[in-house]
Amino acid sequence: MSTAPGTEVFRRRLTESLDRDGCFRAEWLRLVFGRVPREKFAPHTVWRWSDGGWGPLNRREDPEGWAELVYRPGAALITQIGDGAPVADGTGIGATSSMSSADVVLNMLAALDLRPGHSVLEIGSGTGYNAALLCERVGAESVVTVEIDPLLAELAAERLASAGHRPLVVCGDGEAGHPDRAPYDRLIATASVRRVPPAWLRQVAPGGVLVIPWYPCANGFGLIRLRMGDDGTAHGRFQGRESFMPVRGQRMTPPDIGSLWEATWKDSEKIEGDAGLLDLGSAHALFALAVRAPGFSAQLQGDGVLLLSGDDASWLWVRRDACHRYGPRDLVAEAARFLAWWRERGRPRTEEFGMTVTPDEQRVWLRDPGRVLLRSAG
């Protein structure tokens, strides 16, 4: 396949950006990144958001625009919409598969601490790009990658073979892992989970590492690095706030903010000033809120922060000049109590939280495994 016009320029620009940001935290990361061109794993049609909907961008029609999107720093490349069956105008459907942004890929690989001789299980093959990087590090014979979508699995295998890699590509539910090749030294998931599947714990050897994007609610997320113990329990701390699409079996329906406001805005109450709640917009406060009160969703909305109750019956929009609230719950008071808790504990960053996972439950804690904030069944 011929190289798209400008591809080399965009590739070099991305590499320089990653270098400036310190993303090559080990020399092997730089080497494998250089050996695996992203454009070889990107589909001919990718998707970009425009005018309130997802629109296709085809490589043949706009090769330079396509290449720019593939190599755009700090942005994931959307490769599938609506589980492969988008409606004509691209509205009302969400992104369901992507090629992660290069900085996120490198951060996750650094956390995985993958070394020659390790066996690795990847959950979520997607385009095959991440699996190719794994193959470059440990060899294809040591890599198993699982993809739930049959077409994506087939295309990933083809792209990998074209690049000279033939790992085991399994079409199946990633939550079940792939026990036939277990135990693995490493497990990496490129799809988020609310509950770490017990099968993953059973399939990673004692001392092995799992790198998993976790999301307790629609707008809370963090990257957790777990190490398996001899007793089948995994412990670890969060490494950042990487966000991924959820595994299909653990999807949540995001709130329809437009419809909600259309139905309730006229009945909302305006409160002058920000009520001291603008700290809700901090990325670390949003993560702490997801841990402390997973029944809420909170997100940046326009020029403010939107807090929404789990039943969608109450909401609070915090802006610098005013707060707007609606519903039976006093979310101003509830948000104030949460922020008081967060501030009293020194405004903890995401990396100060950790998780313990057993086959029966998972516990999220702050600074010490004994200070459990969130406990849920496994």
Side-chain angles (χ1 to χ4, degrees):
M1 181 182 296
S2 61
T3 301
T7 296
E8 291 295 337
V9 173
F10 294 128
R11 184 189 302 163
R12 184 172 62 252
R13 189 178 301 165
L14 174 59
T15 302
E16 291 171 353
S17 173
L18 295 169
D19 217 355
R20 285 194 303 272
D21 293 341
C23 294
F24 298 116
R25 286 154 47 190
E27 186 58 27
W28 73 266
L29 293 171
R30 186 188 302 276
L31 291 175
V32 301
F33 179 79
R35 292 172 186 157
V36 184
R38 282 170 69 87
E39 77 267 14
K40 289 189 176 181
F41 290 86
H44 284 293
T45 297
V46 296
W47 298 81
R48 57 184 172 186
W49 184 262
S50 178
D51 298 326
W54 290 101
L57 175 63
N58 187 273
R59 181 177 190 173
R60 293 185 180 90
E61 295 173 0
D62 184 0
E64 189 162 354
W66 180 91
E68 190 276 333
L69 210 58
V70 169
Y71 282 99
R72 180 173 294 177
L77 178 70
I78 303 304
T79 56
Q80 187 191 68
I81 297 294
D83 289 330
V87 296
D89 65 358
T91 59
I93 50 178
T96 50
S97 189
S98 69
M99 181 188 291
S100 301
S101 66
D103 57 328
V104 168
V105 169
L106 292 170
N107 184 48
M108 291 182 70
L109 289 177
L112 194 64
D113 189 24
L114 187 62
R115 303 179 185 183
H118 282 161
S119 58
V120 57
L121 173 62
E122 179 191 40
I123 308 300
S125 310
T127 65
Y129 174 68
N130 203 65
L133 297 172
L134 299 175
C135 291
E136 287 285 351
R137 178 60 168 166
V138 298
E141 68 280 0
S142 299
V143 177
V144 177
T145 179
V146 183
E147 172 58 52
I148 196 170
D149 187 301
L151 179 58
L152 293 183
E154 179 182 352
L155 292 173
E158 291 176 0
R159 295 186 187 108
L160 284 160
S162 178
H165 301 300
R166 296 186 181 275
L168 178 60
V169 181
V170 178
C171 182
D173 185 351
E175 290 193 65
H178 187 67
D180 293 358
R181 289 272 195 98
Y184 303 94
D185 299 299
R186 297 290 188 267
L187 182 149
I188 183 170
T190 60
S192 294
V193 296
R194 282 179 285 160
R195 303 172 302 279
V196 177
W200 296 2
L201 302 183
R202 293 193 297 268
Q203 293 175 33
V204 175
V209 171
L210 304 88
V211 175
I212 304 168
W214 178 75
Y215 82 117
C217 62
N219 299 104
F221 38 81
L223 183 70
I224 184 71
R225 183 183 192 272
L226 301 169
R227 186 174 290 279
M228 283 300 306
D230 295 334
D231 61 352
T233 298
H235 307 267
R237 290 184 179 271
F238 287 91
Q239 304 283 304
R241 284 178 44 83
E242 279 77 0
S243 173
F244 284 76
M245 299 161 196
V247 296
R248 293 191 182 183
Q250 297 191 31
R251 284 176 174 171
M252 301 174 67
T253 302
D256 185 345
I257 303 302
S259 297
L260 181 68
W261 280 5
E262 184 177 353
T264 61
W265 181 261
K266 64 181 182 301
D267 297 319
S268 66
E269 174 189 0
K270 181 178 180 181
I271 303 168
E272 296 297 333
D274 61 27
L277 302 179
L278 278 178
D279 272 349
L280 282 173
S282 157
H284 300 293
L286 288 172
F287 179 82
L289 179 67
V291 171
R292 186 70 173 167
F296 289 104
S297 66
Q299 59 184 290
L300 301 179
Q301 185 73 31
D303 60 350
V305 185
L306 177 67
L307 182 64
L308 182 65
S309 64
D311 58 5
D312 293 355
S314 301
W315 55 261
L316 170 67
W317 188 29
V318 180
R319 304 168 63 195
R320 186 168 299 280
D321 58 343
C323 293
H324 300 262
R325 62 172 297 274
Y326 170 84
R329 295 179 63 166
D330 186 355
L331 295 190
V332 173
E334 293 189 47
R337 284 195 294 271
F338 160 73
L339 284 175
W341 173 89
W342 185 65
R343 291 162 180 154
E344 286 167 3
R345 283 152 185 79
R347 301 170 182 256
R349 299 173 59 83
T350 302
E351 294 78 10
E352 296 180 68
F353 292 84
M355 179 184 285
T356 299
V357 186
T358 75
D360 301 316
E361 69 172 6
Q362 59 185 29
R363 305 185 293 270
V364 182
W365 36 268
L366 174 60
R367 299 186 180 121
D368 184 280
R371 300 170 67 179
V372 176
L373 302 175
L374 178 65
R375 188 187 302 264
S376 56

